[in-house]
Amino acid sequence: MLEHSCIKININFSFMHKKIRIIDIAKMAGVSKGTVDRVMHNRGNVSDSARIAIEKVLEKVNYKPNIHVSAISLKSRYKIIVTTPEVSPGAYWESIHNGIRHALEEYENVRVELQVFTYNQYDVYSCRETYEKIAAFEMDALIIGPTFNEETVNLCKKMDEREIPYIFVDSAIEDTSPLAFFSADHYVCGYMMAKLITSIIPDHANIAIFQAVRTGDRSANSTILRKKGFTDYLEKNRCTNLILSIPFSVTAPEDNEMYLSRLFRSQRDIPAIVVLNSRGYFIANYLATNHIKGVKMVCMDLTTANIKALKKGQIDYLIGQEPEYQGFYAMKTLLEYLIFKKTVTKKNYVQLDILTRENIDFYKNFNNIMY
Amino acid sequence: MLEHSCIKININFSFMHKKIRIIDIAKMAGVSKGTVDRVMHNRGNVSDSARIAIEKVLEKVNYKPNIHVSAISLKSRYKIIVTTPEVSPGAYWESIHNGIRHALEEYENVRVELQVFTYNQYDVYSCRETYEKIAAFEMDALIIGPTFNEETVNLCKKMDEREIPYIFVDSAIEDTSPLAFFSADHYVCGYMMAKLITSIIPDHANIAIFQAVRTGDRSANSTILRKKGFTDYLEKNRCTNLILSIPFSVTAPEDNEMYLSRLFRSQRDIPAIVVLNSRGYFIANYLATNHIKGVKMVCMDLTTANIKALKKGQIDYLIGQEPEYQGFYAMKTLLEYLIFKKTVTKKNYVQLDILTRENIDFYKNFNNIMY
DNA sequence: CTGTTAGCGCTTTCAT
DNA sequence: ATGAAAGCGCTAACAG
């Protein structure tokens, strides 16, 4: 089981491992570098005989082009559009955009023109309008951070017709054919939130779930899935907690006072609280302002405000869904697809990180991202 | 608070951002590329006037060399030694070695000769012997995965004399002067384990802590720290749980049956279990074999065996400490220090990931590592 | 001391 | 259709 106590490994030194280059396969196939490049990039203008010879060599050897060297000699330009809900500082969507930007920095030699369109995620009409604008543009690819199902399906249909590849971040929408998506499994997310909250409250405690009110009366895709997971967990585990669904408004915050005071007045025992979107800090602040103590909270997303509430002990568990990772890999995958025709993995579920006030200080928003 | 709904950003396209190259600063300083390279790498042979001119330019412009392009034109070779406890498949130290290997892959163009020395982490004499062997070698740098304090201090002293830089992974040792370390905060780790286990057991339940027996009778550095954090949490929170310290042997597994059966026979109620090293699966398997059910467990490290036990529901919480990340960054930092004289951050605490059977499937051992 | 030049591995253009 | 050659940004060896 245990290995010997001294292993010597030579890297890039050993005779067997000698890194294989494009000129090597050219020689092996009896052609020139140019021809090899032509078949590798499907540029055409290659005789069958040459192509077959090269393909045969490629099968034998494990050629891995050095993408960074590729990038510096690349001439082509790409136009990529990104559309997401509006970005506010320290909040969820900013992280996704940061990830996207970091990917562009990694491929600093690649010429990409980026265009960002944001919409109001609490207003389906705003989304519709923005999507229509986007559909009129020329582009090589599209990254979508979706909120509303129907609107997104419409946009994607248009992209499909124009054969423009698109990638989802945050959440994948059914009945579309994206190149890939990078998202949490929202169902499992809700399921896990139920497990966490029930593990720290008495069996009989009520649980209040907060959900955002939206103009046009449609729920966000991810919230729907999370809620399903949440209730499924309780059902499966025969939890007897009473669930109170509480609306709350981001656009008209003055209404929330009413919702909240009504909730707390109606309850004999203080309920536990689960917030299925990233606005947990909002409730935490309400509780603090009104000196309501001892409320257990499980919330979503490592926004600046949520982290603050977590550190203060107002929030007990915070679930992270690696937004930077999502943005980074969405863009990276897109570029490698466009440039190198790299095959892409379609379904990409990100980690669901559990943060407490103990481990939050070590959580790396972006630095944990290598490669 | 919310931004306007359409932002247009051009990357690598805009007139202001034109990526600055080494030839650009050469022109601005009125010298040649070669001279610029000389001052940037402290190669000497540069007149004061030229140096000052270049330095002035460098202050003004934000020059960021393209390290991947650098790497391909690099000629120097580096000899790096890695020493860690023995590696077994699917276990903790394998992950650290994987991370190290991945860093070398990222810098595939850099010529590094790697030499790995492992020792038996349960035997201080093995460690001492291995370290003596290492001290006799020539090398440009050293990566140490330490176990025993005194032995490591001795090795480091020798390295200090020879001015060989070294980096710690897994755990930093006091009274040494490493270039950097990449490690979890083991104290907080133990602290958090205490919080997690107490959150899922009754107030009165006993908690058994397992610690490895070692030849030479020295505890591993990390375990000592974790235990301190663990007991401090209980004390601070006035927990009344009785703590049972149970030894267990990796080298003589036949003894463990005795330790374990003695433990469970002595207890009226089944205690909760915390394992401060990565051998949690071992206890989990004992419980399964002996049909002992309902034991709550919190353990360390995402080894194959532990993950299996987590998925089966035998372990409730598993704490991860990003071993791949540690290895990757240790090697990456070392290379960038050796090659580019990049300044290094000395203290690097990694994330403490909380895994449950819900989120384990999304946990990425290495893929979450970009950059 | 310093400018020039020859690579590194890859893409792309240009003759053939 | 294909080989040769230029060029990407950087380092290192080579003449002066």
Side-chain angles (χ1 to χ4, degrees):
Chain A
M1 175 169 156
L2 297 177
E3 284 179 31
H4 42 299
S5 84
C6 166
I7 318 157
K8 179 163 177 169
I9 306 173
N10 290 349
I11 303 274
N12 291 351
F13 237 77
S14 59
F15 299 94
M16 35 197 164
H17 255 341
K18 208 164 155 247
K19 175 91 183 144
I20 169 144
R21 301 154 306 168
I22 192 157
I23 183 116
D24 296 320
I25 44 186
K27 277 181 189 155
M28 290 164 89
V31 293
S32 74
K33 293 199 312 175
T35 312
V36 174
D37 189 74
R38 262 165 278 218
V39 330
M40 298 215 300
H41 293 81
N42 283 314
R43 280 197 240 284
N45 284 341
V46 178
S47 68
D48 279 357
S49 61
R51 193 176 42 72
I52 289 165
I54 292 168
E55 278 167 354
K56 208 171 279 177
V57 176
L58 283 175
E59 273 168 30
K60 252 202 326 244
V61 304
N62 174 24
Y63 175 64
K64 260 182 52 195
N66 186 325
I67 52 174
H68 295 106
V69 177
S70 296
I72 60 167
S73 45
L74 240 26
K75 291 258 162 24
S76 21
R77 308 174 112 87
Y78 299 95
K79 184 164 169 184
I80 298 176
I81 293 184
V82 173
T83 181
T84 70
E86 277 146 8
V87 172
S88 44
Y92 179 70
W93 285 99
E94 189 185 53
S95 304
I96 293 213
H97 284 265
N98 285 343
I100 291 176
R101 198 167 318 119
H102 275 99
L104 289 172
E105 278 168 23
E106 184 173 323
Y107 282 97
E108 50 181 351
N109 305 296
V110 181
R111 278 132 190 103
V112 1
E113 181 184 357
L114 190 67
Q115 218 168 328
V116 179
F117 291 87
T118 60
Y119 58 86
N120 182 342
Q121 66 169 307
Y122 301 105
D123 181 353
V124 68
Y125 304 107
S126 151
C127 174
R128 209 172 289 171
E129 195 188 332
T130 304
Y131 281 6
E132 271 165 20
K133 231 185 280 174
I134 290 169
F137 269 83
E138 280 205 7
M139 67 196 107
D140 296 301
L142 177 61
I143 294 179
I144 308 173
T147 302
F148 303 101
N149 276 304
E150 195 184 318
E151 284 63 30
T152 310
V153 169
N154 282 343
L155 177 61
C156 291
K157 252 187 212 141
K158 292 178 193 159
M159 295 299 119
D160 289 338
E161 280 166 21
R162 293 167 61 186
E163 297 194 337
I164 295 172
Y166 50 92
I167 291 188
F168 287 122
V169 287
D170 178 61
S171 171
I173 301 292
E174 297 278 305
D175 303 317
T176 61
S177 27
L179 185 64
F181 67 80
F182 292 84
S183 136
D185 186 322
H186 299 297
Y187 178 87
V188 172
C189 180
Y191 194 91
M192 195 169 77
M193 289 176 94
K195 176 174 177 179
L196 289 172
I197 194 74
T198 52
S199 81
I200 55 173
I201 60 174
D203 288 345
H204 61 273
N206 295 346
I207 305 174
I209 292 187
F210 285 83
Q211 273 182 284
V213 174
R214 286 161 206 266
T215 310
D217 204 26
R218 313 270 197 83
S219 282
N221 183 48
S222 53
T223 310
I224 298 169
L225 298 169
R226 278 183 208 137
K227 189 158 184 186
K228 183 90 175 64
F230 188 89
T231 51
D232 278 7
Y233 176 89
L234 298 179
E235 204 172 299
K236 207 168 182 176
N237 292 275
R238 298 172 210 285
C239 297
T240 54
N241 313 275
L242 184 65
I243 306 304
L244 316 160
S245 271
I246 314 295
F248 91 100
S249 172
V250 173
T251 44
E254 60 279 11
D255 296 350
N256 295 322
E257 289 291 326
M258 183 192 60
Y259 294 139
L260 286 164
S261 64
R262 196 188 292 165
L263 165 69
F264 286 102
R265 256 185 292 122
S266 71
Q267 298 292 307
R268 204 169 356 139
D269 298 316
I270 293 163
I273 288 178
V274 169
V275 184
L276 297 178
N277 57 56
S278 63
R279 309 288 171 153
Y281 68 94
F282 188 91
I283 317 293
N285 286 348
Y286 174 89
L287 298 177
T289 309
N290 292 276
H291 307 289
I292 303 173
K293 303 215 166 157
V295 180
K296 297 288 181 185
M297 289 189 80
V298 174
C299 306
M300 283 300 307
D301 292 323
L302 303 170
T303 65
T304 309
N306 281 346
I307 288 174
K308 211 166 146 188
L310 181 72
K311 286 191 182 178
K312 279 196 213 154
Q314 301 170 331
I315 294 177
D316 296 277
Y317 286 112
L318 207 46
I319 310 299
Q321 45 175 333
E322 300 195 302
E324 299 83 2
Y325 179 91
Q326 294 180 34
F328 181 89
Y329 268 92
M331 183 54 92
K332 186 176 163 119
T333 303
L334 202 48
L335 289 177
E336 294 183 346
Y337 170 76
L338 290 173
I339 304 172
F340 310 114
K341 304 274 172 285
K342 214 166 157 174
T343 54
V344 318
T345 309
K346 189 169 165 177
K347 302 178 181 194
N348 301 277
Y349 290 103
V350 298
Q351 271 181 219
L352 289 168
D353 292 321
I354 302 176
L355 282 303
T356 69
R357 63 192 306 186
E358 284 77 29
N359 66 351
I360 185 67
D361 284 330
F362 305 117
Y363 191 79
K364 295 171 287 295
N365 268 287
F366 190 74
N367 301 352
N368 65 331
I369 306 179
M370 319 185 204
Y371 259 45
Chain B
M1 174 169 156
L2 298 177
E3 285 179 30
H4 43 300
S5 84
C6 164
I7 319 156
K8 179 162 176 170
I9 307 172
N10 290 350
I11 304 272
N12 290 352
F13 235 77
S14 59
F15 298 95
M16 35 200 161
H17 256 342
K18 205 161 157 251
K19 176 94 181 142
I20 171 146
R21 302 154 304 169
I22 192 159
I23 182 117
D24 296 321
I25 49 182
K27 276 181 188 156
M28 291 164 89
V31 294
S32 74
K33 293 199 314 175
T35 312
V36 174
D37 188 73
R38 264 168 281 230
V39 332
M40 297 215 300
H41 293 82
N42 283 316
R43 281 198 238 283
N45 286 339
V46 178
S47 69
D48 278 359
S49 61
R51 193 175 43 71
I52 289 166
I54 293 167
E55 278 167 354
K56 209 172 277 178
V57 176
L58 284 175
E59 274 169 29
K60 254 206 320 251
V61 304
N62 176 23
Y63 175 64
K64 260 183 51 198
N66 186 326
I67 52 172
H68 295 106
V69 177
S70 294
I72 61 166
S73 43
L74 242 25
K75 291 259 168 13
S76 20
R77 306 174 113 88
Y78 299 96
K79 184 164 169 185
I80 299 176
I81 293 185
V82 172
T83 181
T84 71
E86 277 145 10
V87 172
S88 45
Y92 179 70
W93 286 99
E94 190 185 50
S95 303
I96 292 210
H97 284 265
N98 285 343
I100 291 175
R101 197 167 319 119
H102 275 99
L104 290 172
E105 277 167 23
E106 184 173 322
Y107 282 96
E108 51 182 349
N109 305 294
V110 181
R111 277 132 188 105
V112 1
E113 181 184 355
L114 190 66
Q115 219 167 327
V116 179
F117 290 87
T118 60
Y119 57 87
N120 181 343
Q121 65 169 307
Y122 301 105
D123 181 355
V124 67
Y125 305 107
S126 151
C127 174
R128 208 172 288 171
E129 195 189 330
T130 305
Y131 281 7
E132 271 164 21
K133 230 185 280 173
I134 291 171
F137 269 83
E138 280 205 8
M139 66 196 108
D140 296 301
L142 177 61
I143 294 179
I144 309 173
T147 301
F148 303 101
N149 276 304
E150 195 184 317
E151 283 64 31
T152 310
V153 169
N154 282 342
L155 177 61
C156 291
K157 251 186 212 143
K158 290 178 193 158
M159 295 298 119
D160 289 338
E161 279 165 21
R162 293 168 60 186
E163 296 194 339
I164 295 172
Y166 50 92
I167 291 188
F168 287 121
V169 286
D170 177 62
S171 171
I173 300 291
E174 297 278 306
D175 302 318
T176 61
S177 27
L179 185 63
F181 67 80
F182 293 84
S183 135
D185 186 320
H186 298 298
Y187 178 86
V188 172
C189 181
Y191 194 90
M192 195 170 77
M193 290 176 95
K195 176 174 176 177
L196 289 173
I197 194 74
T198 52
S199 82
I200 54 173
I201 58 173
D203 288 347
H204 62 272
N206 295 346
I207 305 173
I209 292 186
F210 285 83
Q211 274 180 283
V213 174
R214 286 160 207 267
T215 311
D217 203 26
R218 313 273 196 81
S219 283
N221 183 47
S222 52
T223 310
I224 297 170
L225 297 170
R226 278 184 209 136
K227 188 157 185 187
K228 183 93 173 62
F230 189 90
T231 51
D232 277 8
Y233 176 89
L234 297 180
E235 202 172 301
K236 208 169 182 177
N237 292 274
R238 298 171 209 286
C239 297
T240 54
N241 312 274
L242 184 65
I243 306 305
L244 316 160
S245 270
I246 314 294
F248 92 99
S249 173
V250 173
T251 44
E254 59 278 11
D255 296 350
N256 295 322
E257 288 290 325
M258 181 192 60
Y259 294 139
L260 285 165
S261 65
R262 194 188 293 166
L263 166 69
F264 286 102
R265 256 185 290 121
S266 72
Q267 298 293 305
R268 203 166 1 132
D269 298 317
I270 293 163
I273 289 178
V274 169
V275 184
L276 297 179
N277 56 56
S278 62
R279 310 286 169 153
Y281 68 95
F282 187 90
I283 316 293
N285 287 348
Y286 174 87
L287 297 178
T289 308
N290 293 276
H291 308 288
I292 303 174
K293 303 214 169 164
V295 179
K296 298 289 181 184
M297 288 189 80
V298 174
C299 305
M300 283 300 306
D301 292 324
L302 302 170
T303 63
T304 309
N306 280 346
I307 288 174
K308 211 165 146 190
L310 181 72
K311 285 191 181 178
K312 279 197 214 154
Q314 300 171 329
I315 294 177
D316 296 278
Y317 287 111
L318 207 45
I319 310 299
Q321 46 176 331
E322 301 194 303
E324 300 82 0
Y325 179 92
Q326 294 180 34
F328 181 89
Y329 269 91
M331 183 53 93
K332 186 177 164 116
T333 302
L334 201 50
L335 289 177
E336 294 183 345
Y337 170 76
L338 291 173
I339 304 172
F340 309 115
K341 304 272 172 288
K342 215 166 156 174
T343 54
V344 318
T345 310
K346 189 169 165 177
K347 302 178 181 191
N348 301 277
Y349 289 104
V350 298
Q351 270 180 219
L352 289 168
D353 293 320
I354 301 175
L355 281 302
T356 69
R357 62 192 306 186
E358 284 76 30
N359 67 352
I360 186 68
D361 283 329
F362 305 119
Y363 192 79
K364 296 171 287 295
N365 268 289
F366 190 75
N367 300 351
N368 66 331
I369 304 179
M370 319 184 205
Y371 259 45

